[in-house]
Amino acid sequence: MGLLASCVALMLVACSQGTNDSTKHSKVENKAAQGSEGFSDVGIQRADTKSRPVFFIHGYDFKGSPTNTGSGHDCKAYWNKTLEWFKHRKWSSSNLITWGYYGGNKRCDRNLTSGHVNTEPTVIARKLANHIYENYSKKDRPVDMVGHSYGGLIIRAAIVGTNKKVKGFPPYLLIEDAVTMGTPHHGATLASACPHVQCKRMAKGSNWIKWLNGGNSEARGGTDWTLIGSNADLVVSADSATAMTGDHKKMSAEHRIRYYKQEGIGHNDYTDIGKGMTYDYWRIRNGGKGYRVSNSAGPIRMANRATQFARW
């Protein structure tokens, strides 16, 4: 077995730690959310919600090689089900933007001409931050962001690097909503065994993960964060996917969603599951006490609600 394959195998085993269901909740906690959570179009809808650009950032390419053309995803295929659902909810296709960071990517709306698995994630984040600033933020146009897996870390790094005033980053960003799906906010155990820079940077306890979690993840005016994880995800543990820490006087994750293991939502399922209202999950809202929600939305619908409504 090659080194990269060994790395992936190690991650599948190691990152499954912490994925046991937290099903032993008190009667009071379960009573707090008995039945299904209402997902009708309620709450305060932001002005021009469906006309705000939404950027979709893909994850790390486990099969990539350290050349410009050796790493890549097909962005349309990667986000196909997600884009279909947003369009179903009447979002304009022109405002649904797939943004890629591998030179070998295909069918991305916007993509770096160079970039591979050994490109430093902070370099990628800087390019994303400047793209957002030049095309939207400095024109007073906020955007929303949805990141799967490593893509969620790139979104965070774009904001953290900007707030830390790292050289080459823009002066500020306007990102109103940010959703991460299966993102290793606290790293992935034993990822350091992988040979590529990007994989090593997301290792649990790495300096880069510490840098992210020690920074301010709130863009100018505030960013409403939604973290989505699953106890059936064997690549990124639900603990890591739903735990974003940092300077809590400056940032927080307002919504934390953890799907139960029996729902069977694996690492590659977040961007594919949207239809139906049959999913059970554990939810923490605004740092309060968690509660169980039954017969509710899948990850894609959750991401859609998070970017569409001010309160949900």
Side-chain angles (χ1 to χ4, degrees), residues 20 25 35 42 67 112 123 128 143 159 168 231 249 253 260:
N20 291 328
H25 309 303
V42 297
T67 67
L112 302 184
V123 172
L128 174 61
V143 301
I159 300 175
N231 285 326
K249 293 181 180 179
Y260 289 96

Side-chain angles (χ1 to χ4, degrees), residues 86 112 122 150 204 214 234 238 242:
F86 272 74
L112 302 184
T122 305
Y150 205 74
K204 186 175 182 180
L234 298 180
T242 58

Side-chain angles (χ1 to χ4, degrees), residues 57-58 60 101 119-126 128 149-162 164 166 169 183-188 191 196-215 217 245:
I57 316 297
H58 63 68
Y60 168 70
Y101 49 86
T119 302
E120 287 284 352
T122 305
V123 172
I124 297 170
R126 185 181 68 225
L128 174 61
S149 193
Y150 205 74
L153 296 182
I154 297 300
I155 295 170
R156 283 191 67 196
I159 300 175
V160 169
T162 296
K164 286 179 176 286
V166 175
F169 279 75
T183 291
H185 291 288
H186 276 196
H196 301 146
V197 168
Q198 289 177 7
C199 192
K200 291 179 179 179
R201 295 295 179 266
M202 66 176 164
K204 186 175 182 180
S206 73
N207 288 333
W208 191 67
I209 290 294
K210 291 178 181 177
W211 177 80
L212 280 179
N213 286 321
S217 296
T245 60

Side-chain angles (χ1 to χ4, degrees), residues 24-287:
K24 296 181 179 180
H25 309 303
S26 70
K27 293 181 179 179
V28 173
E29 290 170 324
N30 283 316
K31 187 176 181 180
Q34 54 183 301
S36 61
E37 184 173 31
F39 269 90
S40 58
D41 293 348
V42 297
I44 300 174
Q45 186 172 346
R46 298 187 184 98
D48 301 322
T49 296
K50 292 184 181 181
S51 66
R52 182 180 302 118
V54 183
F55 279 72
F56 299 89
I57 316 297
H58 63 68
Y60 168 70
D61 180 11
F62 283 102
K63 298 180 180 179
S65 63
T67 67
N68 289 350
T69 59
S71 307
H73 297 291
D74 181 329
C75 287
K76 292 301 182 185
Y78 196 108
W79 293 106
N80 181 49
K81 295 295 184 181
T82 304
L83 297 176
E84 281 184 357
W85 181 257
F86 272 74
K87 292 174 185 177
H88 171 71
R89 296 294 298 169
K90 309 303 182 184
W91 290 73
S92 170
S93 296
S94 62
N95 284 324
L96 304 177
I97 303 162
T98 57
W99 192 91
Y101 49 86
Y102 290 136
N105 279 342
K106 300 176 183 178
R107 299 196 298 172
C108 297
D109 294 313
R110 299 171 193 178
N111 194 66
L112 302 184
T113 55
S114 63
H116 46 78
V117 290
N118 276 337
T119 302
E120 287 284 352
T122 305
V123 172
I124 297 170
R126 185 181 68 225
K127 292 180 181 295
L128 174 61
N130 280 297
H131 179 82
I132 297 300
Y133 176 74
E134 291 296 332
N135 292 282
Y136 302 95
S137 299
K138 78 174 184 179
K139 299 176 182 179
D140 293 325
R141 295 185 62 197
V143 301
D144 293 339
M145 312 289 285
V146 176
H148 174 239
S149 193
Y150 205 74
L153 296 182
I154 297 300
I155 295 170
R156 283 191 67 196
I159 300 175
V160 169
T162 296
N163 288 332
K164 286 179 176 286
K165 302 187 184 301
V166 175
K167 184 177 180 180
F169 279 75
Y172 64 88
L173 292 173
L174 298 178
I175 298 176
E176 190 160 304
D177 298 301
V179 181
T180 65
M181 312 162 94
T183 291
H185 291 288
H186 276 196
T189 307
L190 295 184
S192 57
C194 297
H196 301 146
V197 168
Q198 289 177 7
C199 192
K200 291 179 179 179
R201 295 295 179 266
M202 66 176 164
K204 186 175 182 180
S206 73
N207 288 333
W208 191 67
I209 290 294
K210 291 178 181 177
W211 177 80
L212 280 179
N213 286 321
N216 177 3
S217 296
E218 297 282 335
R220 176 177 286 187
T223 301
D224 189 4
W225 282 92
T226 298
L227 313 185
I228 302 174
S230 169
N231 285 326
D233 186 340
L234 298 180
V235 177
V236 175
S237 72
D239 289 340
S240 184
T242 58
M244 187 171 74
T245 60
D247 185 344
H248 289 281
K249 293 181 180 179
K250 298 179 181 179
M251 58 75 62
S252 64
E254 287 80 1
H255 316 280
R256 302 169 192 260
I257 308 295
R258 183 187 297 217
Y259 287 94
Y260 289 96
K261 187 175 183 179
Q262 62 265 28
E263 301 305 328
I265 299 175
H267 192 67
N268 294 325
D269 295 326
Y270 295 104
T271 60
D272 288 336
I273 296 178
K275 293 183 178 180
M277 295 286 282
T278 62
Y279 299 94
D280 295 356
Y281 54 82
W282 185 254
R283 177 168 184 170
I284 298 176
R285 182 182 289 175
N286 294 319

